[in-house]
Amino acid sequence: MSTGKQAGSLHGLGVLCGIAAGVWLGAAEAPTKLVNAGLSPFLISLGMVAGVFVARWTVPMVLKGTGYVFQDIREKPHLIVWAILAGALWAVANTLTVFAIREVGLSIAFPLWNTNSLVGLLWGWLLFGELTGAKQWPQVLGGAVAIAGGACLLAYATSFQGTAPARGPDVGIAAALGAGLLWGTMYIPYRKAYISGMNPLSFVTLFTIGELGSVLALAAAFEGGLHRVAGELAAARPALFWLFLGGFCWVLGDLFQQYAAKYIGLGRGIPLSNTNQIWGLLWGTLVFGETAGKGIVERVLIVGGSIVMVMGAWAISSAEAPESELAAWRKASERERLRYGLKDDALAVDGESARPRRHWWELAVVAGAIGIFVWLALLARPQPVSINGVWMAVLIAVALAFLARGGLLLWRRTRFS
Amino acid sequence: MNKADRPSLARTILTDIHFWVPAAVLGIGIGLLIFVARV
């Protein structure tokens, strides 16, 4: 972990990463909207996670090299367990949301599982000393509640159909609450890794094994075996490019979220990245025209929810951790160092003490990943969805601007450590 | 603590509350998933 001065200077970087995470996680929803109905939710999830898997092994390798990633893992081998646990938690939570939406609809399910940021905040405080001694804790908590509340208003407004989808409300509510609990708890491994000095790029490389393994197991269990899943995937080939593209955007958003969790903690980083709801809404409204024909009540809810979310993000952004809280962070780091026999420099911010050399075959892996995307793009069929090209260009430009700014700052200040 | 005195990695992990909290929640999640899939 960094010194107080270093961590203080990293607050702005962490906030930028949290907001960039929201932008890219929101953008990840766009390609999936291009996928025609008819694919099972498990298959959509599996297609996206397969794209995530390809991107998660490629992006870290491009940025730091496999030598760096493997050295990082060798120095903290215990974190393999937590990374795979986190991947499994994500996969089970994601599947629970499928059932929740099916049983009670998005407008009820979303607010319930959106409690994940509050669960993360609770674990951050209880297990890692976040917000300890911080006078701004009401500001952070209030901001998190505002973002969750704003997201609920948006979810309610965008799924306002006037019909009751409820078939088994108790089951749906339980599934949605369970998803929130699992996602909120998934941040424990995140924080555990970062107070141990692990690079987020190394962590996501391991995380994705647990994630893909669990999603495959769940798809096989619920879709009637691996053979059938493979057959359905082959049949869905024309749509796979869009799912892979969504997965790729999701990886960029998730990486920013990981850096936010590392540099400003769970209590601040997770609610900020949960602003992805507002960006998903912008894509839906401006590019896909989803709110066309909505009444005045829905429009007021959308504007109101967005304003509440922005205010929540602002409240958290301006609540920099004071020295007393940074001392609690250092104490949590010290616990890890003593417990797992980590080297002192394992907790350094820049992590640039040793730079393992690059290998020629890393280029081959990158070429292979690009090849997969190109192959799927050639197989892709245009989907019968009307889009607004101007707004799409604007939103892509905004997302790329956040990527460039966030990436550049991460490189300059931390060398992606 | 000397390296020789240090408990094994598996033991260290299994006595860490940071392991048991997410592991228990994952167990609850899998149980819940089986339940909702059967209903």
Side-chain angles (χ1 to χ4, degrees):
Chain A
M1 180 51 62
S2 56
T3 64
K5 193 178 174 187
Q6 277 174 320
S9 71
L10 290 168
H11 176 81
L13 176 65
V15 167
L16 178 66
C17 286
I19 295 171
V23 174
W24 278 93
L25 292 172
E29 294 173 26
T32 60
K33 290 182 196 296
L34 292 171
V35 175
N36 238 348
L39 293 181
S40 88
F42 291 106
L43 212 63
I44 291 176
S45 184
L46 183 59
M48 266 190 93
V49 169
V52 165
F53 188 80
V54 172
R56 273 202 176 142
W57 278 84
T58 314
V59 175
M61 205 184 60
V62 170
L63 295 178
K64 298 296 276 186
T66 45
Y68 177 91
V69 170
F70 286 126
Q71 181 180 309
D72 200 16
I73 294 168
R74 270 197 304 274
E75 286 173 359
K76 300 123 192 158
H78 63 289
L79 291 172
I80 294 172
V81 174
W82 274 274
I84 292 175
L85 249 181
L89 282 165
W90 182 90
V92 175
N94 196 50
T95 313
L96 280 170
T97 63
V98 175
F99 284 98
I101 293 171
R102 192 179 289 176
E103 299 298 330
V104 291
L106 188 66
S107 59
I108 295 173
F110 187 89
L112 295 175
W113 81 59
N114 204 35
T115 51
N116 71 74
S117 58
L118 301 177
V119 174
L121 201 148
L122 172 72
W123 292 132
W125 168 71
L126 203 62
L127 298 175
F128 301 109
E130 287 184 17
L131 300 175
T132 303
K135 285 180 185 166
Q136 309 102 318
W137 73 264
Q139 198 176 336
V140 175
L141 184 63
V145 170
I147 289 173
C152 296
L153 286 179
L154 297 186
Y156 183 69
T158 50
S159 58
F160 194 86
Q161 302 295 332
T163 55
R167 189 165 61 88
D170 295 344
V171 172
I173 287 168
L177 281 174
L181 176 66
L182 263 72
W183 268 330
T185 306
M186 179 185 76
Y187 300 127
I188 294 176
Y190 281 29
R191 192 65 183 150
K192 175 95 172 167
Y194 305 141
I195 60 171
S196 304
M198 181 171 253
N199 189 307
L201 296 167
S202 316
F203 186 75
V204 298
T205 306
L206 294 168
F207 176 98
T208 199
I209 296 173
E211 184 184 35
L212 185 65
S214 304
V215 169
L216 257 179
L218 292 171
F222 289 101
E223 294 288 300
L226 277 177
H227 281 295
R228 196 166 159 194
V229 171
E232 287 187 13
L233 268 182
R237 222 178 275 165
L240 275 184
F241 173 72
W242 306 113
L243 297 177
F244 264 59
L245 194 62
F248 185 79
C249 294
W250 196 83
V251 165
L252 295 179
D254 184 54
L255 274 172
F256 277 122
Q257 186 181 44
Q258 306 266 355
Y259 281 111
K262 177 167 184 173
Y263 292 123
I264 52 176
L266 303 180
R268 294 170 178 84
I270 304 307
L272 280 180
S273 58
N274 273 8
T275 53
N276 68 322
Q277 180 75 1
I278 209 170
W279 293 98
L281 177 74
L282 284 175
W283 275 93
T285 306
L286 302 175
V287 179
F288 298 104
E290 285 178 355
T291 51
K294 293 272 183 193
I296 186 73
V297 176
E298 290 94 315
R299 287 172 191 272
V300 167
L301 283 174
I302 288 170
V303 173
S306 304
I307 291 171
V308 170
M309 264 188 133
V310 170
M311 286 172 68
W314 176 81
I316 291 176
S317 307
S318 55
E320 187 171 337
E323 184 51 43
S324 55
E325 184 178 352
L326 295 176
W329 288 19
R330 284 194 292 275
K331 196 175 160 193
S333 285
E334 185 65 6
R335 170 197 186 270
E336 297 304 302
R337 193 182 73 77
L338 293 174
R339 188 173 181 90
Y340 291 97
L342 303 175
K343 287 191 287 186
D344 283 344
D345 69 347
L347 305 181
V349 165
D350 64 16
E352 283 294 290
S353 51
R355 290 186 189 183
R357 67 187 178 88
R358 298 285 187 132
H359 302 282
W360 65 267
W361 44 264
E362 290 175 359
L363 272 177
V365 174
V366 173
I370 293 172
I372 291 173
F373 272 91
V374 171
W375 176 62
L376 290 173
L378 290 174
L379 294 172
R381 298 277 176 277
Q383 303 294 311
V385 179
S386 61
I387 55 169
N388 184 319
V390 175
W391 276 117
M392 187 167 77
V394 169
L395 287 178
I396 288 174
V398 170
L400 288 175
F402 270 100
L403 177 67
R405 182 74 182 143
L408 197 67
L409 272 182
L410 275 170
W411 169 251
R412 279 188 187 157
R413 294 208 194 162
T414 73
R415 294 289 188 267
F416 293 119
S417 72
Chain B
M1 190 187 293
N2 291 328
K3 202 170 180 179
D5 300 334
R6 196 180 291 283
S8 71
L9 185 59
R11 189 183 172 85
T12 310
I13 290 171
L14 290 173
T15 52
D16 192 339
I17 183 76
H18 293 172
F19 170 76
W20 285 108
V21 173
V25 170
L26 179 63
I28 293 169
I30 291 171
L32 183 62
L33 189 57
I34 293 169
F35 171 72
V36 296
R38 280 187 176 176
V39 171

